[in-house]
Amino acid sequence: MPALALATDAATLSPLALFLQADIVVKAVMVGLLLASIWVWGVIIAFWLGAGGLARKCAAYEKDFWRSEDIDGFYDKRGKEAVPSARVFAAAVSEWRRSTRSRSVDREGTRDRLSTAMASAVSMEVDALADRLNILATVGAVAPFVGLFGTVWGIMRSFTAIAAQQNSSLAVVAPGIAEALFATAIGLFAAIPAVIAYNRFSHRINRLEASLSRFADGLYATLSRELERA
């Protein structure tokens, strides 16, 4: 009999049983947190697949660019590639061509516009990547508190059961406390991967931004020298 009782208790405290035994409020918290966790993993996988190799692609593109001796020829051939470095390069060449179209070239004005165009392109690339991480930051910050709300609600139910039955035995309070702690566990399950992924991906974006900025600085110096020859 004791073994059978322990098996029954273990089944009662299984994750599915805890969910089914919870009231509507705790169930809503659990479902919301599970959906948030699925969303987080979707963002993590999408970012990993889509942006994981961007640094390598940018490095390869920039290496090919610095090997090239003809800026216009390189732009005509590879200026429209779907790489952040290519879009920074395209912004620079586009502004260069507009600014040097006339016979009288304003060198200082051209330099200022080139700097602004490339800085804007770098910012747009970084913002496009960082925008995907907002959900990770939000879930990482909010999910533990949502789980805590479920915990508080479950403990309140336990105290209500104690008052209703006038019995403070473990059998009365255990289900509500177990549901409460399960809600907290789901909140942490959603938040921990979100925080880890957000920090890791933010570091990658910062490194990519620094790399793009260095490329833009080198490109600015090259085009500035071309202005002196004009």
Side-chain angles (χ1 to χ4, degrees), residues 50 52 79 113 168 179 193:
R113 287 189 292 272
S168 60
E179 296 161 12

Side-chain angles (χ1 to χ4, degrees), residues 167-187:
N167 186 353
S168 60
S169 68
L170 187 61
V172 174
V173 299
I177 293 177
E179 296 161 12
L181 295 177
F182 188 49
T184 300
I186 297 177

Side-chain angles (χ1 to χ4, degrees), residues 28 47 67 71 84 94 97 126-127 132 142 145 150-151 201 227:
F47 191 93
R67 287 177 175 175
I71 294 178
S94 178
R97 290 180 174 179
V126 172
D127 289 344
R132 306 180 190 179
V142 174
F145 294 101
T151 299
F201 292 156
L227 272 176

Side-chain angles (χ1 to χ4, degrees), residues 5 52 127 138 219:
D127 289 344
T138 301
L219 185 55

